[in-house]
Structure formats: C-alpha cells, structure tokens
Amino acid sequence: MSSTPIGFTAHDHAHCVKSALAAAQTVCVQRGVQMTPVRLRTLEILLEEHAAMGAYDVLARLNVEGLGSKPPVAYRALGFLVDQGFVHRIERLNAFIACAYPQDAHNPAFMICRCCGTVAEAQAQSGTFVQSAAQTGFQTEQTVIEAEGLCPSCQPQVQS
C-alpha cells in the first residue's frame, strides 16, 4: 500500500486512468455487479483530473454526451461507485473524487488545496484516534480525514 498522495505528484495520468478503469471493471465482474456505461463514464469523468466534482458538474458532462439529463442519473451512478469503493464523497466540498487506492481497504485522508482545488488522497493512519475512541467505549467503523491548505505548486504563489 502506497501512501504517496497522487494528486500532488507527477505521474503518467493516462496510465493512471486506464488502470483504474480496468481495475474497476475487473472488481465488478468479481463481485457480480454491473458496470453500466453511465457508471463507467461517471468514473472516467472523475478520473480525468485529481479534483473533486459536484454531482451536478458530473451530470452536466453526462448530459452533453447524451447519457442523461436528470439528477437521479448522476446520483445513482455516484452512489454505486461510492458503494463499490471506486469513488469517495468529500463532505467539506459536497463533491466526489475517484479513489486513488480502490484495491485497498483503507481510511482515506484528503488534502484539499484551497487555491487550485486539487485534491490528493492518502491513506490515513488513524490508530491513535481509534484507540482514543475505544477508550470511551466507541467502536470506530470508518474514519475520513479532510484537510484544507496549499499544495506544493500553490505555496510559492501565495507566499510571494
């Protein structure tokens, strides 16, 4: 399991998208769930950039491509993708982003650049929090961390 935040590092993005789509389709076959054309295109739209998108932004793209114009089209596709672990919902932004680690069970940590909007996902090490919660009798099932700040590219611009 790599914890390097992909959104802030140089990488072969075409390969990133291609491998994520292939992995998602393989997982769907293994789980016996259907990756419909709308679901696949929704995932592809979210993979195009390492930025979060609102459901209506996704819907606008689907509509232009003739894949649906009603909100339930986008919400159903996004709901499926979240349920399957291919996409995360970022509460702070009320938006969605493709999962950077769909093959791994993990607790996501999102770093959101307040300047350019890029979002990077890392795998949170939430052990201390989970232990603290357990001491109060709380059983943690999932943690998600969302942090807002400046990405490496925007820091020099803002500090100048």
Side-chain angles (χ1 to χ4, degrees), residues 63-117:
N63 185 33
V64 166
E65 296 172 17
L67 293 171
S69 62
K70 304 286 185 209
V73 171
Y75 282 110
R76 285 186 193 125
L78 290 165
F80 171 84
L81 295 170
V82 168
D83 289 346
Q84 296 304 315
F86 305 139
V87 167
H88 295 294
R89 182 162 192 261
I90 300 178
E91 298 294 329
R92 172 129 175 87
L93 303 175
N94 191 24
F96 299 85
I97 190 163
C99 179
Y101 310 99
Q103 68 281 3
D104 300 323
H106 64 286
N107 293 311
F110 300 106
M111 294 154 282
I112 306 162
C113 181
R114 66 177 169 80
C115 188
C116 70

Side-chain angles (χ1 to χ4, degrees), residues 15-29 40 43 47:
H15 175 73
C16 175
V17 171
K18 185 178 177 180
S19 64
L21 291 172
Q25 290 178 310
T26 299
V27 168
C28 285
V29 169
L40 184 63
L43 179 57
L47 284 164

